[in-house]
Structures are given as C-alpha cells and as structure tokens.
Amino acid sequence: MRKWGMVIDLDRCAGCQACVVACKAENNVVHSDPVQEETFRAISWMSVLTVMEGEYPDVKERYFPRPCMHCENPPCVKVCPVGATYKNPEGIVAQVYTRCIGCRYCTNNCPYTLKYFNYFRPRWTREMKNLLNPDVPKRQVGVVEKCTFCHHRLQKAKEDARFEKRELREKDYVPACVQTCPTGALIFGDLENPKSEVFRLSKISRAFRLLEELGTEPQVFYLTEGEWHG
Amino acid sequence: MKVDGHMLNKLRKPKKLSLVFIGLALGVSVFLLVILLESWGGTTQPLRFNHKIHAENELTCQDCHPYFLEYASSGRPELETCILCHEEALTESEEEKKLLGYIQSGNEIEWVRLFRVPEDVYFSHRRHVAVGNVECAVCHGDIGESTRPPSNPRNMSMKKCMDCHEDKQVNNDCIACHR
C-alpha cells in the first residue's frame, strides 16, 4: 500500500505564494476578506508563513509553506464524534464534508491549526462562479474543511491507470501546489517506495518535521540547512 | 351524575373508530390522487421518450448515450443522433411530432437528468462500465423496458453503492467516492 507524503525544501522556497493560489483555485477554497483574516476565520489550506531572522538592518526573511501534515497519528481524527475525518489506508487524512456536523473538536485539537471551519456561507463573485473546479464540491457553511492532498486527482489518476490496464505511476498524481511550485521546493510522492525522491529526501540529515515531540508523525517533511529557528 | 369507567369506554369507542375511518379514507384518497397524477403524465422529460420501442428496434444504450465507456458522464442524446432515424415521421405518435418540431426549430431537447448522485460524490461511468464491467441495469434497473419516463428523478442511495462494493470486494473507503 502506498503512503503519500510531501517534502518541502525551505531553502528553495522563494515565498512567491503560487502554491497558495493554485490550492485555492484547484479546491474551490472561498476567498476571505481582511476582517476574516484578522479574526482568524479565513480559510487557506496552503499558507506560506514568513519568519524574520536577525535584527534590522541585518535581517533575513524565510518562508514556510504549510499544508495539512497528514499525520500518521492524527489528533484530529481521535476527537471526531461522527467519523467525518479519518486516516485513509493510503495515508491521507480525509474529511467527508457531508458527514461533518461542525462541532470543531478537530480544529481545536489540531496542533498545527490546519483545519478550517466555514464560519460564513461561501460567496463567489460572478466571474468566479464560472471558474470553480467541477471535480471538487463547494463546502457548506458550518463544516470543517482541510487540505486533502488533492485526492480528487488521485481518484482520476487511479481510474486512468485502471482503464489503460497499467499500474498507477507515482508521477500520475501530484497535488496542485506541487505542480505549480516554480522553484521545485515542494516534492510529492510515495513515502513507502524506496525508489522515490520523497523517500530519499525524508531520510537525509536536513529533514525535520513540525512539532515532532508531539508524536503525531507528520507525513510532510521539511528540509533546511542547519537549525530551524521558526 | 357519577360516571364509571365502563361507561366512558363505551362512549369513547365509536369516536376512535370514526377517526380510524377518516384516516383510512384520507389515506386512500391521497394514494388515488398520486396514481392519478402519475397517469396524467407528471413526467420529468420534455417529451415522453419510449425506451422500450427503441430497444425493440435493435438500438443499444450506447447509440444514444455515447460516452459511458470513455468518460465519467454517459451523455444524453443530441438532436443530431435523433435525426439519423427521425428525418421524417416514422409513426403517428404525438411525441414524435414534438421531436420533429424540435428538429425543425433546431433547439436541443432539454433532457432532465433522471439518475442523480449528490454533488460531492464522484461517480464515473467509465470506472464502473469499462473498468468494472457493471451492467447498465444494475443501477438503472429496467429503464430500458420502460415505455415512458418515470415521474420523478431517482436519487441513488449510498447503501446500494456500498452493498455492491462489498459484494465485489472493491474499494469501500469514504474518499474513494466522496471528494
């Protein structure tokens, strides 16, 4: 069985936010306004945090892209009372929107705060309405949503492979953020396959994971030279 | 006057019975009304397409629904397809006259989708028919034998999907279908 995971090379990230835009466009993530942003009610499955290092004038700005960690041991799954969020056999932490009752236990229990509650009814401008991705449903107000590693792409890739009577190749399936990244800072693949790039990179000495001490075992690995002072 | 329990029961009984009768009468009349409405037409489609007669003339599902082997959606017939046989009237049927009207005006027939899955469910005909070799009738029932469109669109139930997936030992993971 495959275990999908991502490697993010922080030394390569230029902070262009292309992944953020690609994610929003691919997954019909609703656009938020500054008020929602200020009250922490904005939704952005992929976000790039900026970290300033050093004192003025000798400062260095670093960027930190942050999708769902798809933990091996996900704290959000443990608290869901209705089974709307669960760990799928292929390592994706899935969210079934039609099952979610909006209790927000999972948003509170996620140590990375990467689950988003729909506080508002999603509204789209007239121009945007025709640009929504038909492969992804629009979420309702009152449900929690999250990064899914674009698993609708996996559904299609698997079907294509079966139709053509071949095995699913690793490159058949990449999330929108990885496909877009112009510097190649995001790498996606199968963490169980010893031949894959992510397998190799996740084992090197530059690799670390976010809040590793919690034991959540994220499937998103970060790479950086030296110590990370995030 | 002192009324004992026995007397009360006697008084109540006929009342209860009449209520039951009224209920029954109401139920029967509603049932009859529904049947009447159905026979009046109440059809979902702009014209009463007769699947049976087309099947008898050796047309297959694929002749009018051409995409189910290659795409997620099976497709509904376009006028171009109808014209292949119906260039001139083949029968005396009123419905065929309607069709000829459409052909003359050149407006596509706005067929209503009959079998529906919720918006967040990914259903692909290719996956089921071309890859899984599922017969059309497994989900669509005897629509091929019907002489006129059903009066209501039919919503597919998750239970039916999951039972079939269990029988065939295929992926029953939530996000295999829910996106």
Side-chain angles (χ1 to χ4, degrees):
Chain A
M1 190 53 90
R2 288 185 172 80
K3 196 168 82 181
W4 301 105
M6 196 188 281
V7 172
I8 300 177
D9 193 337
L10 295 173
D11 300 334
R12 279 191 179 186
C13 179
C16 69
Q17 311 254 355
C19 52
V20 179
V21 177
C23 174
K24 287 218 173 203
E26 176 75 18
N27 292 299
N28 301 338
V29 178
V30 76
H31 299 180
S32 355
D33 57 39
V35 179
Q36 293 172 13
E37 194 72 53
E38 271 170 26
T39 49
F40 302 105
R41 290 180 175 190
I43 299 175
S44 182
W45 294 5
M46 179 65 151
S47 47
V48 178
L49 308 181
T50 31
V51 183
M52 296 289 249
E53 282 178 3
E55 292 275 317
Y56 180 82
D58 187 21
V59 288
K60 203 164 125 190
E61 199 173 45
R62 302 193 71 184
Y63 306 101
F64 198 89
R66 210 178 45 144
C68 171
M69 298 292 140
H70 292 274
C71 309
E72 186 77 336
N73 188 13
C76 58
V77 168
K78 289 191 184 130
V79 290
C80 181
V82 291
T85 184
Y86 70 100
K87 181 88 177 161
N88 136 299
E90 286 178 85
I92 295 174
V93 176
Q95 182 85 19
V96 182
Y97 309 118
T98 39
R99 179 145 287 205
C100 176
I101 55 168
C103 68
R104 284 178 275 157
Y105 285 1
C106 60
T107 51
N108 291 326
N109 219 35
C110 174
Y112 309 102
T113 62
L114 288 165
K115 299 201 96 174
Y116 302 92
F117 183 67
N118 279 278
Y119 283 95
F120 311 98
R121 224 178 87 214
R123 283 211 188 91
W124 307 96
T125 55
R126 209 186 325 137
E127 293 78 16
M128 274 306 296
K129 268 182 190 157
N130 299 326
L131 298 172
L132 295 177
N133 184 356
D135 292 336
V136 181
K138 286 175 274 181
R139 272 76 57 185
Q140 312 281 318
V141 61
V143 302
V144 170
E145 59 181 66
K146 67 181 285 295
C147 157
T148 58
F149 270 167
C150 293
H151 77 75
H152 56 280
R153 290 185 169 207
L154 176 62
Q155 282 174 337
K156 289 215 158 167
K158 273 187 182 169
E159 188 187 314
D160 283 343
R162 254 176 239 160
F163 184 66
E164 289 160 20
K165 295 197 170 63
R166 59 173 170 81
E167 284 286 304
L168 181 73
R169 293 181 298 246
E170 209 176 324
K171 62 178 181 196
D172 287 343
Y173 164 45
V174 277
C177 53
V178 179
Q179 191 183 17
T180 306
C181 183
T183 61
L186 308 180
I187 303 126
F188 187 78
D190 180 6
L191 288 169
E192 298 272 90
N193 178 6
K195 285 181 194 154
S196 76
E197 181 80 354
V198 285
F199 180 88
R200 187 180 67 78
L201 290 172
S202 67
K203 300 272 187 284
I204 64 173
S205 60
R206 289 167 69 216
F208 74 101
R209 295 190 278 187
L210 212 53
L211 299 179
E212 213 154 357
E213 65 277 13
L214 295 179
T216 52
E217 297 195 27
Q219 301 302 293
V220 176
F221 290 79
Y222 288 94
L223 303 181
T224 187
E225 204 59 60
E227 193 74 6
W228 171 257
H229 306 286
Chain B
M1 199 182 102
K2 209 180 161 195
V3 184
D4 58 22
H6 185 67
M7 249 178 107
L8 263 180
N9 274 346
K10 263 195 172 171
L11 277 170
R12 270 185 196 149
K13 244 186 185 166
K15 246 190 181 172
K16 263 190 182 169
L17 259 179
S18 67
L19 268 178
V20 169
F21 275 124
I22 290 172
L24 257 176
L26 259 173
V28 169
S29 53
V30 166
F31 181 69
L32 282 176
L33 208 88
V34 168
I35 290 182
L36 249 174
L37 277 177
E38 279 219 341
S39 65
W40 266 342
T43 158
T44 41
Q45 299 294 10
L47 60 89
R48 281 203 208 172
F49 183 82
N50 186 334
H51 269 96
K52 196 176 177 200
I53 220 158
H54 286 82
E56 280 168 0
N57 283 294
E58 294 183 356
L59 286 177
T60 62
C61 306
Q62 209 178 350
D63 292 330
C64 301
H65 304 283
Y67 307 125
F68 60 73
L69 285 176
E70 288 129 52
Y71 298 101
S73 164
S74 63
R76 284 160 271 176
E78 290 168 7
L79 272 186
E80 260 177 43
T81 318
C82 307
I83 294 173
L84 294 177
C85 302
H86 293 273
E87 213 160 2
E88 290 162 12
L90 299 171
T91 56
E92 304 277 285
S93 148
E94 280 300 310
E95 299 304 311
E96 198 190 5
K97 274 179 199 147
K98 269 194 219 168
L99 171 69
L100 292 174
Y102 275 106
I103 290 175
Q104 259 174 9
S105 68
N107 297 332
E108 282 294 337
I109 307 168
E110 290 183 7
W111 298 112
V112 176
R113 184 177 216 157
L114 281 181
F115 292 86
R116 297 175 181 181
V117 290
E119 198 204 349
D120 74 309
V121 170
Y122 173 66
F123 179 85
S124 158
H125 276 90
R126 181 175 77 168
R127 196 184 198 177
H128 287 83
V129 186
V131 181
N133 293 324
V134 179
E135 293 285 321
C136 303
V138 171
C139 304
H140 293 288
D142 53 3
I143 190 91
E145 305 277 301
S146 67
T147 50
R148 57 191 207 80
S151 47
N152 291 310
R154 294 176 189 170
N155 294 319
M156 311 304 276
S157 80
M158 188 168 99
K159 191 180 179 312
K160 218 180 157 189
C161 299
M162 289 192 67
D163 286 350
C164 193
H165 276 226
E166 207 147 285
D167 278 353
K168 303 211 163 182
Q169 301 269 308
V170 287
N171 201 346
N172 229 352
D173 184 28
C174 304
I175 60 166
C177 307
H178 289 276
R179 340 186 240 207

